[in-house]
Amino acid sequence: MNRLGLAVMLTLSLFTSGCAGTNDYGAKLPYDAWRLGFFAPDYMEVWIETADAVDTNDRWFKRAMSGVSSISSPSNLKGNPRGWPQNPGDGKGKYVYGADLPRFIYVRWQSLAEPQTYYAYIEIPESARELMVKGERAYC
């Protein structure tokens, strides 16, 4: 299985606090934290050794996330093991408190389906950071 087929997807989602300004940790964001979430293809268990984040102020958040990623197992194990699930959700993850917007994220994970370790260095583009501070209406 190649690296791309087993790539752990990264999702950044927002946790809004309802008031803008500086949070208790010094970051100037309209919410208290942003979230790292990870998921893997059906039947492909993954252990995330570390997910480190560096924010726009060059602060390093080591092990912002670690542990087992989210996977989906179709009912009665009758799913197709190829590809990604139709609606994977936002994955298993943690909120990153005290960080400004992410500049890059480093992820190192182990495939539990094969004896292999992978890593990825993900640069977060400015356009994604702009979307992270743009207000949106949401149903809660």
Side-chain angles (χ1 to χ4, degrees):
M1 182 171 305
N2 67 15
R3 181 176 176 194
L4 181 61
L6 190 61
V8 176
M9 296 302 291
L10 167 71
T11 59
L12 297 172
S13 61
L14 304 179
F15 176 69
T16 58
S17 65
C19 44
T22 303
N23 63 19
D24 292 339
Y25 305 97
K28 295 179 180 92
L29 298 176
Y31 43 82
D32 292 333
W34 47 268
R35 185 176 184 277
L36 283 173
F38 297 90
F39 58 92
D42 292 346
Y43 308 108
M44 300 294 171
E45 291 184 284
V46 173
W47 175 261
I48 299 164
E49 291 179 11
T50 186
D52 302 342
V54 174
D55 71 4
T56 54
N57 294 324
D58 288 331
R59 290 182 298 168
W60 184 14
F61 293 82
K62 289 186 79 170
R63 293 188 64 126
M65 169 59 184
S66 63
V68 179
S69 73
S70 173
I71 62 169
S72 61
S73 296
S75 61
N76 298 327
L77 300 179
K78 300 280 186 197
N80 184 353
R82 286 190 279 164
W84 293 93
Q86 192 72 7
N87 298 308
D90 62 354
K92 184 176 177 185
K94 290 183 182 176
Y95 288 100
V96 181
Y97 289 94
D100 209 330
L101 295 173
R103 192 166 55 88
F104 74 84
I105 296 171
Y106 170 79
V107 184
R108 181 178 166 93
W109 72 96
Q110 294 179 15
S111 166
L112 301 179
E114 59 185 351
Q116 185 69 40
T117 301
Y118 299 94
Y119 67 92
Y121 173 88
I122 304 161
E123 290 189 53
I124 309 300
E126 181 63 32
S127 59
R129 290 193 294 267
E130 288 172 5
L131 289 174
M132 289 180 71
V133 293
K134 181 182 173 195
E136 294 288 338
R137 298 191 100 188
Y139 176 77
C140 296

